[in-house]
Amino acid sequence: MSKLRCHISISLDGYLAGPDQSEEHPLGQGGERLHGWVIPLAAWRRSHGEQGGEVNQSTPVVEESRQNIGAAVMGRNMFGPVRGAWGDEQWTGWWGDNPPYHYPVFVLTHHPRDPVEMEGGTTFHFVTGKEGRRQQGRHALGWRPCRSAVPGSGVAGRA
C-alpha cells in the first residue's frame, strides 16, 4: 500500500495562502509570509533550480519530505490562477518549463484537460472525480509515497 505525505504550510486559523491570488501574487496578497520558513532554505532553493540558501534545523525535514516520491497531488489553485474552463490551455503552472517535481503531478479540478508534459519528468494530470484520482494516483505511485499539497479534507481524508 502506498503512503500519503501531507506537505503544506498552513496557518493556525487554516489558511494556505493570502487572498486575491493572481499571476503577480501566486500565494495571494501576503501569502509569502506563511512560507517564509522554507523559501530561504538551500534544500528548497536547490529543488527550484536556485543557488545558495540557509541550512538550519528545518533542512533535514525539507530534504526528507522530497525523498522517494512517486507522485504529487495538488489543488487547481496551486497549479495556477486560471478559474473556470481552461480556455486556450496556455497556462502550464507557476514554475516555468522545468517544475521542481520530476514525477507525475495530479491536479484536482472540476474541468477536464489533457496532460501537460514538462521538462525534467513532470507531467501534470488533470483529474476529476474520486475514482479517477484513485486509479491514476495508485497506478503512478506503485509502492512509493505520494506528496500532497492539498489540505486534509482535500486528499488525506480520501486517500
Side-chain angles (χ1 to χ4, degrees), residues 56-154:
N56 61 30
Q57 295 85 354
S58 296
T59 299
V61 174
V62 172
E63 290 173 339
E64 183 178 330
S65 76
R66 298 181 182 280
Q67 293 175 356
N68 193 32
I69 300 297
V73 178
M74 68 175 57
R76 183 171 175 167
N77 288 353
M78 186 167 171
F79 178 74
V82 179
R83 302 294 182 260
W86 290 102
D88 63 8
E89 299 190 6
Q90 294 298 310
W91 184 262
T92 57
W94 302 106
W95 308 274
D97 294 333
N98 190 3
Y101 302 104
H102 311 291
Y103 39 74
V105 176
F106 297 91
V107 180
L108 308 181
T109 178
H110 294 287
H111 301 276
R113 181 175 174 180
D114 290 333
V116 175
E117 293 185 30
M118 306 294 288
E119 293 176 16
T122 302
T123 300
F124 292 105
H125 300 274
F126 303 88
V127 294
T128 61
K130 186 188 297 188
E131 282 310 307
R133 290 191 297 263
R134 283 184 178 161
Q135 289 174 359
Q136 287 185 334
R138 287 181 179 148
H139 175 74
L141 287 171
W143 290 98
R144 294 174 294 174
C146 176
R147 183 169 186 246
S148 174
V150 178
S153 62

Side-chain angles (χ1 to χ4, degrees), residues 21-40:
Q21 181 192 40
S22 66
E23 286 188 53
E24 296 78 32
H25 300 282
L27 297 173
Q29 297 287 333
E32 297 83 14
R33 290 191 310 257
L34 183 59
H35 308 279
W37 69 274
V38 73
I39 293 172

Side-chain angles (χ1 to χ4, degrees), residues 36-60:
W37 69 274
V38 73
I39 293 172
L41 293 179
W44 186 90
R45 295 176 59 79
R46 194 170 41 254
S47 72
H48 288 77
E50 299 179 22
Q51 301 294 317
E54 301 173 12
V55 175
N56 61 30
Q57 295 85 354
S58 296
T59 299

